[in-house]
Structure formats: C-alpha cells, structure tokens
Amino acid sequence: MSWHFVLTDCNPADNLKRGASQSELLDSALWFRGPAILLKNQHDWPESCLPEKTPPDFRKGILVGVSTKVDLPLKRNLVNSCQKMTHTFGFEYKFAHRKRRPGLAVKYVKMGTQMFIRCIQMSKLADDYWRLHSKQQISSSSPLSSLLPFIDSFGLMRVGGRLQNSSLDYNAQHSVILPRQHPVTRAIILDLHRRNLHSGPRALLAHMRLQFWPLGGRKTVSAAASKCFICFRAKPLLSQHIIADLPKDRVNATSTSMVTGLDTCGPFYYKTGVRSKVPGKTYVCVFICFATKAMHLELVQDLST
C-alpha cells in the first residue's frame, strides 16, 4: 500500500477529536463528502511529512541505566516462591547470554540464582560490597567485619573463614552472604525448611550454612521458620492443669518446725584421705518448715536404710 500524509484541515477525523457538536457535523461538508483533495489528480496530493534523511544527532545505540540500589527480586514480586524466583532468573540469565538451547538446564538455574543474589547484595549491602570491590577495608561496626568477606569471580560476596584445607565443597567453605530480614532470605529459609521435612532451627541453620550464610544466624532462621503454616497447624496445644489448693499446714500459723518437709540433694564427692581410694559420695538432707520457710541442713554419708 502507498501511504500519504493528510493535512489537518482535510482530515474528517480531527473534527471528532476536537469535540465537534452535532450541529457542526451537519453543516460540515468535510464530514459528509470527505477532503476535496481526493477529487484532484493524484500528482497534486501533498507529499509525506516524514523526513527522508536521518537527523545528524541520531545515534544507533541503546543506553541502559542500571542503578546498584535496585532490588530486582522485589521489583518482580517473586519473593513468595523460591522455586519460581530461581526459574525466572534462570530464564533471564539464559536470555541475557543468548543461549538458544530449548528448556531450562540446571546450570542456568544455578547461574540465575547467583545473579539475583548478587543484585540483593548490591542493594542491601551496598556500602560493604563496594568497599570490597574497590579493595578497601570494611568498617569495624559492620556486621560483616568478623566474617572476613571477599568477592568471588562472579561478583558474589562470600564468607572468608579458615576452611580452605578442608574436604568441604566450595559453597560450604565460603558460603554466600544473605542480608538480614529480607524477603528473599526468608523464602530461601522456608524452601530449605520444607525440603528438610520441617527441621528445627539448629538443624536448619547447619544445613543452610552449607551454601548460604544468613546474617543474624539462628534468630533469622527461627523468625523465618516460625512463619511455616504446616508447623503451626501441627504444633499441639498443651493442656494446662488447674493447681490444687495449698494444704492446711501451709496456710495456718504454727510453731517453727512443727510441720516440716524433707528432701535430699546430691551427691557430693569427698576424699577419704587414702590416695588410692576413689572419692566417695555424700548427700545433704534438707528440712523445711511449712509455716516459716526456715531451713535446716544435715550431712548424710549414704542413702542406706
């Protein structure tokens, strides 16, 4: 098709755009008969208004501005599902590196996971990240100062430690640092919590540190695991028994040690003076007055009759 430019005065649609009334449309010849230039020869029609040449200041390129403060997982609203988040960034990593193989391989999921964790570190731990990136020492008040962190070849901030000579995996020797109280950190903890059959905070933290190092340690893991609905529903409610009334001797005034309670504590070990003999056991008998709480202690050498 051949496209031509139509002037505003010859365009019937512009009357509706400018809000023409019904009476104006009834009196408009342009609305009923169309533009008069169509009755002329085609050679007399106006030329196209598009420029024939490219402007001199036009550059063939794309400028992309990336801010280090942008938290990509939060922008995509993917923090509720760890699996969905890792698969999404796996496809993004595959698209960014122009991988044409169909499907989603495991290595793409792994590299995509490292990519979005790096974005989190650059946004939530920006000061420490760029200090390490520029070969500077981090502040002593930083929560990372005791971890001896470093940045690996991919750009992830990891724990230093002293386990390089161990037989552990590289991720276990130098775990990836995760910020405290972040939705992605909570999603990763809950995902590992479900995979490990809803284990407790200590076992979950030990398993998590084989790959990740959440700041805050057990408190962060406990706070995230407490949000598990399955564990909350399965937790039994303990029945609270009503305590019985106090006995008569406890609430009425009597003479001291008229009614006493007896208990034995121990054992305590003592030496008999003989070097070759093993230490013996001794006990303490405790007498407690019911009325005044007075206490009397006596030594008991054994528990025989």
Side-chain angles (χ1 to χ4, degrees):
M1 291 185 293
S2 178
W3 291 84
H4 293 271
F5 173 68
V6 179
L7 297 174
T8 303
D9 298 337
C10 302
N11 190 1
D14 285 353
N15 292 335
L16 291 180
K17 292 179 182 178
R18 298 188 178 98
S21 61
Q22 295 180 0
S23 59
E24 293 177 352
L25 291 179
L26 290 175
D27 299 335
S28 175
L30 178 64
W31 177 255
F32 286 100
R33 297 184 179 89
I37 60 174
L38 296 180
L39 300 177
K40 298 181 181 180
N41 193 2
Q42 188 175 358
H43 298 286
D44 297 333
W45 289 358
E47 297 291 335
S48 175
C49 66
L50 296 177
E52 297 180 357
K53 297 182 180 181
T54 305
D57 58 343
F58 180 77
R59 296 179 178 88
K60 294 182 179 181
I62 300 176
L63 300 179
V64 180
V66 179
S67 175
T68 59
K69 298 292 185 180
V70 177
D71 199 342
L72 294 181
L74 294 181
K75 292 293 183 180
R76 285 158 173 75
N77 296 326
L78 300 173
V79 296
N80 292 328
S81 175
C82 182
Q83 183 178 4
K84 182 179 179 181
M85 183 167 45
T86 53
H87 285 192
T88 301
F89 279 90
F91 280 111
E92 291 189 7
Y93 177 84
K94 180 181 177 181
F95 174 78
H97 292 77
R98 299 179 181 180
K99 304 294 183 181
R100 300 181 181 272
R101 182 179 299 177
L104 186 63
V106 177
K107 62 179 181 179
Y108 298 147
V109 177
K110 179 180 178 181
M111 301 304 291
T113 303
Q114 293 180 357
M115 184 175 66
F116 80 79
I117 291 179
R118 182 179 61 185
C119 296
I120 296 172
Q121 291 178 348
M122 294 172 65
S123 95
K124 298 301 179 183
L125 305 173
D127 296 336
D128 297 331
Y129 185 91
W130 292 111
R131 281 178 178 270
L132 294 175
H133 190 272
S134 58
K135 306 298 182 181
Q136 298 181 7
Q137 187 176 2
I138 62 177
S139 175
S140 59
S141 60
S142 173
L144 305 180
S145 59
S146 60
L147 300 179
L148 301 178
F150 69 96
I151 297 179
D152 62 0
S153 59
F154 191 80
L156 287 174
M157 193 159 46
R158 295 178 177 269
V159 176
R162 300 183 298 170
L163 299 177
Q164 294 184 3
N165 297 326
S166 65
S167 59
L168 295 173
D169 185 55
Y170 181 76
N171 291 327
Q173 293 179 2
H174 307 288
S175 305
V176 179
I177 298 176
L178 294 178
R180 188 201 310 258
Q181 296 179 354
H182 193 274
V184 173
T185 305
R186 183 169 60 251
I188 293 175
I189 293 174
L190 288 176
D191 183 67
L192 292 176
H193 179 65
R194 288 188 290 267
R195 290 185 181 182
N196 288 273
L197 304 178
H198 302 271
S199 56
R202 291 186 178 181
L204 180 59
L205 180 61
H207 184 80
M208 188 174 185
R209 282 180 174 173
L210 296 177
Q211 189 175 2
F212 302 104
W213 191 280
L215 296 179
R218 187 181 175 185
K219 290 183 178 180
T220 303
V221 173
S222 300
S226 62
K227 305 296 182 181
C228 180
F229 291 101
I230 298 177
C231 294
F232 179 78
R233 292 174 180 175
K235 186 178 181 180
L237 297 177
L238 302 178
S239 59
Q240 301 292 335
H241 298 283
I242 300 176
I243 302 176
D245 295 335
L246 293 174
K248 179 176 61 175
D249 299 325
R250 289 286 303 274
V251 294
N252 295 325
T254 58
S255 301
T256 305
S257 299
M258 181 66 68
V259 180
T260 60
L262 185 145
D263 197 2
T264 305
C265 62
F268 300 97
Y269 294 91
Y270 70 98
K271 292 184 178 181
T272 59
V274 182
R275 180 177 298 179
S276 60
K277 193 172 183 180
V278 296
K281 293 182 180 180
T282 185
Y283 302 86
V284 174
C285 187
V286 183
F287 298 88
I288 303 175
C289 176
F290 268 33
T292 62
K293 298 292 184 179
M295 185 179 296
H296 175 71
L297 304 178
E298 285 191 7
L299 183 63
V300 178
Q301 292 187 357
D302 53 30
L303 292 182
S304 61
T305 304

